[in-house]
């Protein structure tokens, strides 16, 4: 019997039940934010948001809409838990990361509530594997309030061209500096690594630019290139916003 049509015993006791006919879609999304070991999961009737943070200064979110799942049920208004993202990704690829063409790994995910493990039922080719991942007390996450009224600069770039730009930068740099300006250099990427400082400048009419709206010069520093480049691999466009500080 296909996994998606099976019923887990006492399934009504679970506050979260979700099913996918192809787990690779979920795995790909989660890999995009896998730069820390643990993640916090928030489930509502709209879907599941997975949040990863680093030192309370960097945050990455992946939102899987309820419509992505073949079945999605949340018995409570919201369900929150913390989980080891590395272990979760290992379980999702338990049948291998390069499946035979035409075969898919189905997933049925169940969570009973606070203190209980996250249950994963994975099936491929008639073989079913059950994984139980211990959950933890969820930690408070940062609330980045990017109110549209505070946006002073907005730039949209093609991610493919941006990936090529990152490949030319010094990956030993601990920070990536991003400069946005209404005048030259317009858009600049800077690194400060073992080989010294390096800069890449792009004019506002570059083929890389989808949108350039810049009111004032702004310089921001973020995490190292290796992390930003890893996230870029999963997207086709990238949006940079310059937020005016609220005093």
């Amino acid at each position: 019997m296909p996994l998606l049509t099976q019923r887990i015993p006492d399934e009504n006791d679970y506050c979260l039940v979700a099913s996918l006919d192809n787990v690779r879609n979920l795995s790909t999304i989660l890999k995009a934010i896998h730069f820390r070991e643990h993640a916090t999961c928030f489930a509502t009737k709209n879907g599941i948001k997975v949040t990863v943070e680093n030192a309370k200064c960097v945050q990455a979110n992946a939102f899987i809409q309820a419509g992505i799942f073949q079945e999605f049920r949340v018995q409570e208004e919201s369900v929150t838990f913390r989980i080891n993202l590395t272990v979760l990704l290992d379980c999702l690829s338990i049948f291998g990361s390069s499946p035979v063409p035409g075969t898919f790994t189905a997933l049925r995910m169940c969570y009973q509530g606070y203190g209980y493990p996250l249950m994963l039922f994975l099936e491929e080719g008639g073989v079913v594997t059950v994984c139980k991942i211990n959950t933890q007390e969820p930690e408070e996450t940062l609330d980045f309030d990017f109110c549209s009224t505070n946006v002073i600069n907005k730039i949209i770039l093609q991610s493919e061209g941006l990936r090529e730009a990152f490949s030319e930068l010094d990956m030993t740099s601990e920070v990536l500096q991003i400069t946005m300006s209404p005048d030259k250099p317009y858009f600049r990427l800077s690194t400060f690594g073992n080989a010294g400082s390096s800069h890449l400048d792009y004019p506002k009419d570059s083929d890389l630019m989808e949108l350039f709206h810049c009111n004032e010069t702004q310089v921001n520093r973020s995490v190292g290139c290796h992390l930003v480049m890893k996230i870029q691999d999963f997207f086709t466009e990238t949006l940079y916003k310059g937020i005016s500080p609220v005093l």
Side-chain angles (χ1 to χ4, degrees):
M1 182 184 296
L3 179 63
L4 296 182
T5 62
Q6 293 185 35
R7 290 293 168 185
I8 308 302
D10 301 322
E11 194 171 274
N12 292 331
D13 294 337
Y14 292 94
C15 58
L16 170 64
V17 177
S19 297
L20 278 171
D21 59 7
N22 186 1
V23 76
R24 291 191 66 190
N25 300 327
L26 176 61
S27 182
T28 299
I29 294 172
L30 295 181
K31 285 179 181 177
I33 61 170
H34 183 215
F35 62 91
R36 298 293 288 179
E37 190 170 89
H38 289 85
T40 302
C41 301
F42 306 88
T44 67
K45 64 179 181 179
N46 297 318
I48 300 175
K49 184 176 78 168
V50 183
T51 299
V52 179
E53 287 187 348
N54 183 20
K56 294 296 182 182
C57 64
V58 179
Q59 185 183 93
N61 293 285
F63 184 67
I64 305 97
Q65 295 182 342
I68 298 295
F69 297 92
Q70 277 62 56
E71 179 186 3
F72 187 80
R73 291 189 288 112
V74 178
Q75 304 284 17
E76 302 174 4
E77 183 176 348
S78 64
V79 176
T80 306
F81 57 90
R82 191 167 183 257
I83 197 167
N84 189 308
L85 184 57
T86 302
V87 174
L88 175 59
L89 285 170
D90 286 344
C91 290
L92 294 179
S93 59
I94 198 167
F95 285 104
S97 57
S98 301
V100 178
T103 63
F104 301 100
T105 302
L107 167 69
R108 194 169 188 83
M109 181 168 57
C110 304
Y111 177 62
Q112 196 167 347
Y114 181 82
Y116 287 90
L118 180 68
M119 303 277 293
L120 303 179
F121 300 84
L122 298 122
E123 184 267 336
E124 182 178 309
V127 179
V128 177
T129 297
V130 181
C131 301
K132 296 182 180 181
I133 307 175
N134 290 333
T135 57
Q136 302 172 4
E137 179 83 26
E139 295 183 350
E140 184 177 356
T141 57
L142 293 173
D143 182 14
F144 290 98
D145 183 15
F146 294 140
C147 178
S148 59
T149 58
N150 295 330
V151 176
I152 55 176
N153 298 323
K154 183 177 181 180
I155 298 176
I156 299 178
L157 308 100
Q158 296 180 3
S159 289
E160 183 176 354
L162 202 57
R163 283 194 291 271
E164 295 178 2
F166 284 137
S167 67
E168 300 178 21
L169 295 173
D170 188 350
M171 292 298 163
T172 64
S173 177
E174 294 183 358
V175 297
L176 171 66
Q177 181 172 288
I178 301 172
T179 302
M180 295 178 283
S181 174
D183 305 306
K184 290 185 178 180
Y186 299 112
F187 183 75
R188 169 177 285 180
L189 300 173
S190 304
T191 54
F192 311 91
N194 296 337
S197 60
S198 59
H199 308 279
L200 284 177
D201 295 342
Y202 292 89
K204 61 183 178 180
D205 57 354
S206 167
D207 293 338
L208 188 68
M209 299 287 179
E210 294 286 343
L211 174 70
F212 185 89
H213 183 76
C214 193
N215 294 309
E216 63 181 68
T217 300
Q218 194 170 35
V219 180
N220 297 298
R221 285 192 170 194
S222 65
V223 292
C225 294
H226 62 285
L227 172 57
V228 180
M229 189 172 183
K230 177 181 178 180
I231 296 174
Q232 292 288 339
D233 287 341
F234 296 89
F235 302 102
T236 58
E237 290 185 344
T238 303
L239 167 64
Y240 286 103
K241 284 185 178 181
I243 310 297
S244 176
V246 179
L247 302 179

